[in-house]
Amino acid sequence: MSDPILSVQHISIDYGFDEDATHAVTDVSFTLGRGEFLGLAGESGCGKSTLAYGIANILRNPANIVSGEILYYGKNTPPTNILALSGAALRAFRWNELAIVFQSAMNALNPVLSLRAQFRDIFTTHRPHMSRKDIDQRAVELLQMVGIAPDRLHSFPHELSGGMRQRAGIALALALNPDIIIMDEPTTALDVVAQREILSEMIRLRQNLQFSVIFITHDLSLLLELADNVAIMYAGRIVEYGDRRNLYTHARHPYSYGLLHSFPPLRGPAKKVFGIAGSPPDLRALPQGCAFHPRCPMAFAACQSALPILKTADPAFPAQQTACHLYDTALRATPPTEEDIAAAYAANSQRRGMRV
Amino acid sequence: MKDVNTPILTVQGLQKYFPVGQFGLRRRYLRAVEDVSFSLYPGKVTALVGESGSGKTTVARVLARIYDPTSGKISLDGQDAGAIAPRAYRRKVQMIFQDPFSSLNPATSIAYTLSRPLVAHGHATFSNVHQFLPELLQRVSLTPAEQFLKKHPHELSGGQRQRVAIARALAVQPEILLADEPVSMLDVSIRLDILNLMTQLKEEEKLAILFITHDIASARYFAEETLVMYAGQMVEGGSSEEVTQQPKHPYTQLLLSAAPDPDRLADPAAEIPVLPARGEIPSLVNPPSGCRFHPRCPLAMDVCKERFPQRTNLENGHWVHCHHVQSAE
């Protein structure tokens, strides 16, 4: 593991207060290495976007970070807790050190300003000494970096296609050479070709500029091609964390397995695939014990009462952590193999009246 | 019993132009669909694959008679569709829309949403419609039905809403379903459930389904036949297995290499494809001459700029419109 750039420790985020609070993120910890590409995957409503916005400290009421800290390790500076920053210090931190590419480029860009004006916004705020000429020059450089022709500098967002808008969003995020870029479903609204082009662009830029990425998506198939490590979230908690290859070869948590096998194969023999039964839980009324147990094909008694904690499931892969009782030797003698989980999913879908 | 080998809906030479810029003296047209032909068979799914802007949704909307075709022939059960009254036509052809968050009326309950088509198409009257509703919801695996009937769309998740939208289409007892990207707005984990449900309905009720998608992997999974469209032109078609495993047209190959494929991880030597930016779907007001894909095509030849290639038939009903394949034959 390279040296850390960001360390998230026991973060919990609520919407609302006291007993009305909805716990969107609960006790999440992870470390992002310098130059690492971390994927954050989960269904809608699992808290992945809330977590990302919490990391950037841009949440507003009624969201409220109840506990935990987020340490940023800048170059040659002592670690700073992002959550403790405010006022000028926070403004200086944002975009300089950490930038965000938002989900729908359609709404993230200001529709009444040209790209040039939006670049000027950034530079006049963060680099007040820069002349307009220098700003334009830098803006053109950035646009070229993401594959947009320089003559588009004067375009307004509505004159650009969806893919170009997303590229412009990336160019804006790169403007100040941040150490960390958070990408919140950057390609969800795009079709496959535009998506692939943008991701290729990201891989190339990351090699050249050496920034770290937190990439949020509900499409695990993408992450497996791109990310170094993947964290899978369910109902506000990380349920599995591991190297993408470990996760691909052996997803241990039944939820990860379900996500991983919920897209049909592009090549190889055609096979029946199932997806995950049911829908994501209501965060206002989470089930007791493991939040996934009502949808889990392998749930047993302990899942309904005790909350599993994230820990190493198999000593042979110490970095792959799973929050699941199935791997607790005190509760179950032998951990399930991948075939066991597959069989349970197939049996479960048969019970639901689906033909196999 | 329906005859599964006779097409129920046939489209021939379909064209759809939209007028644009009406202020000038000369009217210009956006050529959204150019010469599209295919047939739908009972109990079979036909997938229409392409990027945004390729005209696939326009085709579905013309078939649903939301738009009138500029030219071309649509025949339903051997009858010219234009001669059939709209309501009688929609009795047989129903559409499922992409976005379940906006295709259901937010102000009315699920019971009302589902009872409208039943009454409008004469399968029930307002007094007895309620006895049909639970069964309808059970067919799309929404149980307990009584609980869902009282709810409003905002109380349902995306997957549940899409099931309601499917139930609404089924209420009419159609023979053809036009599904316009029915799963693209849903979470990946929910998509398969919906596709498996539609597979089940197709088999049980011998529905003919037109499945529109940009995800070529789900076309392979769900559809027997796949047609690839680019900028309003059909470029390749055949059995899904043939088209996805042995794509002949450079555009189909582009779509396939762009699709995420985690199975590439299984082979450590496999490289993650890097697609150079080759631009986007061209303007359809002034489309490129000849094969509309030629500005983005790595194999483009001079003849590609001049005329659209003839159809080349390969084995097993696989066909392609490409000069490159034609000259290789």
Side-chain angles (χ1 to χ4, degrees), chain A residues 217-280:
Chain A
T217 180
H218 66 113
D219 190 351
L220 195 53
S221 58
L222 270 184
L223 283 184
L224 289 173
E225 288 189 21
L226 298 170
D228 299 318
N229 290 306
V230 176
I232 293 175
M233 283 185 78
Y234 189 76
R237 291 173 187 271
I238 293 183
V239 295
E240 184 149 16
Y241 177 92
D243 169 42
R244 62 174 172 144
R245 280 188 194 279
N246 286 342
L247 205 66
Y248 171 75
T249 47
H250 190 165
R252 287 187 162 75
H253 197 287
Y255 180 63
S256 322
Y257 181 89
L259 273 189
L260 197 58
H261 291 82
S262 56
F263 28 84
L266 194 58
R267 281 166 240 282
K271 58 181 182 197
K272 184 91 183 174
V273 276
F274 302 105
I276 305 172
S279 36

Side-chain angles (χ1 to χ4, degrees), chain A residues 33-323:
Chain A
R34 200 171 282 280
E36 183 185 332
F37 194 126
L38 173 73
L40 214 53
E43 290 165 288
S44 332
C46 74
K48 51 196 194 306
S49 292
T50 303
L51 175 62
Y53 296 161
I55 292 169
N57 199 1
I58 54 172
L59 288 171
R60 291 201 297 188
N61 274 336
N64 121 57
I65 300 177
V66 198
S67 63
E69 57 178 14
I70 297 166
L71 295 177
Y72 167 72
Y73 302 87
K75 293 180 189 99
N76 317 318
T77 50
T80 33
N81 183 359
I82 299 175
L83 301 179
L85 294 174
S86 62
L90 183 58
R91 278 199 296 281
F93 170 78
R94 284 181 185 155
W95 231 257
N96 268 319
E97 322 288 350
L98 182 148
I100 303 189
V101 178
F102 289 97
Q103 179 161 9
S104 57
M106 199 87 73
N107 311 325
L109 297 173
N110 190 332
V112 297
L113 295 182
S114 66
L115 287 183
R116 182 196 207 185
Q118 305 195 37
F119 276 108
R120 277 189 185 163
D121 257 356
I122 295 176
F123 287 111
T124 49
T125 312
H126 290 278
R127 302 279 187 274
H129 60 271
M130 270 176 91
S131 71
R132 289 196 155 199
K133 204 170 142 238
D134 290 349
I135 292 176
D136 283 354
Q137 203 183 340
R138 174 80 180 132
V140 166
E141 226 176 274
L142 286 162
L143 287 180
Q144 278 175 327
M145 215 146 74
V146 298
I148 299 181
D151 58 356
R152 289 297 191 164
L153 184 61
H154 301 279
S155 299
F156 287 85
H158 73 265
E159 296 171 316
L160 306 174
S161 68
M164 287 235 261
R165 272 183 224 147
Q166 203 53 271
R167 285 164 190 272
I170 294 172
L172 289 168
L174 290 172
L176 304 174
N177 270 327
D179 282 336
I180 305 168
I181 293 189
I182 295 177
M183 307 190 83
D184 185 13
E185 307 240 14
T187 58
T188 309
L190 306 176
D191 55 55
V192 280
V193 179
Q195 165 170 294
R196 173 65 64 189
E197 287 175 358
I198 288 195
L199 296 178
S200 307
E201 207 73 54
M202 277 307 289
I203 294 173
R204 196 174 56 77
L205 289 169
R206 194 171 71 100
Q207 275 163 358
N208 297 342
L209 306 173
Q210 302 286 318
F211 49 83
S212 310
V213 181
I214 299 178
F215 192 100
I216 300 169
T217 180
H218 66 113
D219 190 351
L220 195 53
S221 58
L222 270 184
L223 283 184
L224 289 173
E225 288 189 21
L226 298 170
D228 299 318
N229 290 306
V230 176
I232 293 175
M233 283 185 78
Y234 189 76
R237 291 173 187 271
I238 293 183
V239 295
E240 184 149 16
Y241 177 92
D243 169 42
R244 62 174 172 144
R245 280 188 194 279
N246 286 342
L247 205 66
Y248 171 75
T249 47
H250 190 165
R252 287 187 162 75
H253 197 287
Y255 180 63
S256 322
Y257 181 89
L259 273 189
L260 197 58
H261 291 82
S262 56
F263 28 84
L266 194 58
R267 281 166 240 282
K271 58 181 182 197
K272 184 91 183 174
V273 276
F274 302 105
I276 305 172
S279 36
D282 183 353
L283 290 171
R284 288 166 299 182
L286 280 184
Q288 280 280 310
C290 171
F292 186 57
H293 86 254
R295 298 172 74 189
C296 181
M298 300 200 75
F300 60 112
C303 303
Q304 290 168 30
S305 50
L307 184 77
I309 52 165
L310 196 63
K311 60 185 175 194
T312 302
D314 182 346
F317 300 100
Q320 188 178 8
Q321 296 184 306
T322 309

Side-chain angles (χ1 to χ4, degrees), chain A residues 42-44 161 163-164 167 190-197 200-201 203 218-222 224-226 244-245 248 259 261-280 295 352-355, chain B residues 51-52 141 157 160 163 186-193 196-197 199-200 203-204 214-218 220-221 241 244-245 251 254-266 268 272-280 296:
Chain A
E43 290 165 288
S44 332
S161 68
M164 287 235 261
R167 285 164 190 272
L190 306 176
D191 55 55
V192 280
V193 179
Q195 165 170 294
R196 173 65 64 189
E197 287 175 358
S200 307
E201 207 73 54
I203 294 173
H218 66 113
D219 190 351
L220 195 53
S221 58
L222 270 184
L224 289 173
E225 288 189 21
L226 298 170
R244 62 174 172 144
R245 280 188 194 279
Y248 171 75
L259 273 189
H261 291 82
S262 56
F263 28 84
L266 194 58
R267 281 166 240 282
K271 58 181 182 197
K272 184 91 183 174
V273 276
F274 302 105
I276 305 172
S279 36
R295 298 172 74 189
R352 282 157 51 224
M354 299 273 185
R355 244 178 299 199
Chain B
E51 278 170 285
S52 351
S141 309
S157 70
Q160 290 170 338
R163 282 167 194 273
L186 305 176
D187 264 320
V188 171
S189 53
I190 313 285
R191 288 182 186 174
L192 274 183
D193 252 14
N196 287 343
L197 169 74
T199 308
Q200 206 178 337
E203 281 164 11
E204 281 167 7
H214 62 249
D215 176 13
I216 202 159
S218 64
R220 179 193 177 207
Y221 179 71
E241 216 39 46
T244 56
Q245 302 308 302
Y251 180 61
L254 172 75
L255 277 182
L256 273 161
S257 64
D261 181 10
D263 292 334
R264 287 189 187 111
L265 270 180
I272 294 202
V274 173
L275 279 191
R278 286 194 180 274
E280 283 144 351
R296 292 171 82 187

Side-chain angles (χ1 to χ4, degrees), chain B residues 29-260:
Chain B
Y29 291 94
L30 188 147
R31 298 152 179 251
V33 175
E34 197 91 67
D35 195 17
V36 164
S37 309
F38 60 89
S39 304
L40 299 179
Y41 295 87
K44 239 176 104 174
V45 180
T46 303
L48 203 53
V49 183
E51 278 170 285
S52 351
S54 60
K56 50 197 198 308
T57 296
T58 307
V59 170
R61 294 191 163 210
V62 170
L63 292 188
R65 293 188 55 182
I66 296 172
Y67 302 143
D68 287 325
T70 305
S71 70
K73 217 179 123 198
I74 303 171
S75 55
L76 177 68
D77 266 341
Q79 246 186 307
D80 179 23
I84 305 174
R87 183 168 291 195
Y89 183 84
R90 293 191 181 120
R91 212 0 231 90
K92 294 196 170 167
V93 184
Q94 281 288 309
M95 186 151 174
I96 299 166
F97 295 90
Q98 177 171 14
D99 182 0
F101 295 87
S102 56
S103 72
L104 298 176
N105 187 343
T108 58
S109 68
I110 302 306
Y112 183 81
T113 299
L114 294 180
S115 59
R116 290 298 297 153
L118 282 169
V119 175
H121 288 278
H123 297 302
T125 61
F126 264 121
S127 49
N128 72 2
V129 68
H130 289 280
Q131 70 197 61
F132 296 102
L133 300 179
E135 190 234 326
L136 208 49
L137 284 179
Q138 269 151 21
R139 266 161 76 196
V140 294
S141 309
L142 280 179
T143 47
E146 289 70 26
Q147 196 190 318
F148 281 103
L149 286 173
K150 287 193 208 92
K151 288 191 173 176
H152 283 69
H154 73 267
E155 294 171 273
L156 305 180
S157 70
Q160 290 170 338
R161 279 183 233 202
Q162 199 59 288
R163 282 167 194 273
V164 171
I166 294 172
R168 177 177 58 183
L170 291 177
V172 179
Q173 300 171 17
E175 288 168 28
I176 299 163
L177 271 187
L178 307 170
D180 184 8
E181 306 232 22
V183 295
S184 69
M185 301 286 284
L186 305 176
D187 264 320
V188 171
S189 53
I190 313 285
R191 288 182 186 174
L192 274 183
D193 252 14
I194 300 283
L195 288 185
N196 287 343
L197 169 74
M198 287 174 59
T199 308
Q200 206 178 337
L201 292 170
K202 169 199 84 174
E203 281 164 11
E204 281 167 7
E205 320 201 358
K206 291 279 169 268
L207 285 170
I209 301 180
L210 179 69
F211 174 59
I212 291 175
T213 182
H214 62 249
D215 176 13
I216 202 159
S218 64
R220 179 193 177 207
Y221 179 71
F222 179 47
E224 282 86 7
E225 189 187 7
T226 296
L227 310 169
V228 183
M229 258 184 104
Y230 182 78
Q233 294 169 332
M234 313 259 290
V235 296
E236 185 164 8
S239 81
S240 299
E241 216 39 46
E242 284 267 334
V243 172
T244 56
Q245 302 308 302
Q246 277 148 29
K248 291 288 185 283
H249 198 283
Y251 180 61
T252 318
Q253 292 165 355
L254 172 75
L255 277 182
L256 273 161
S257 64

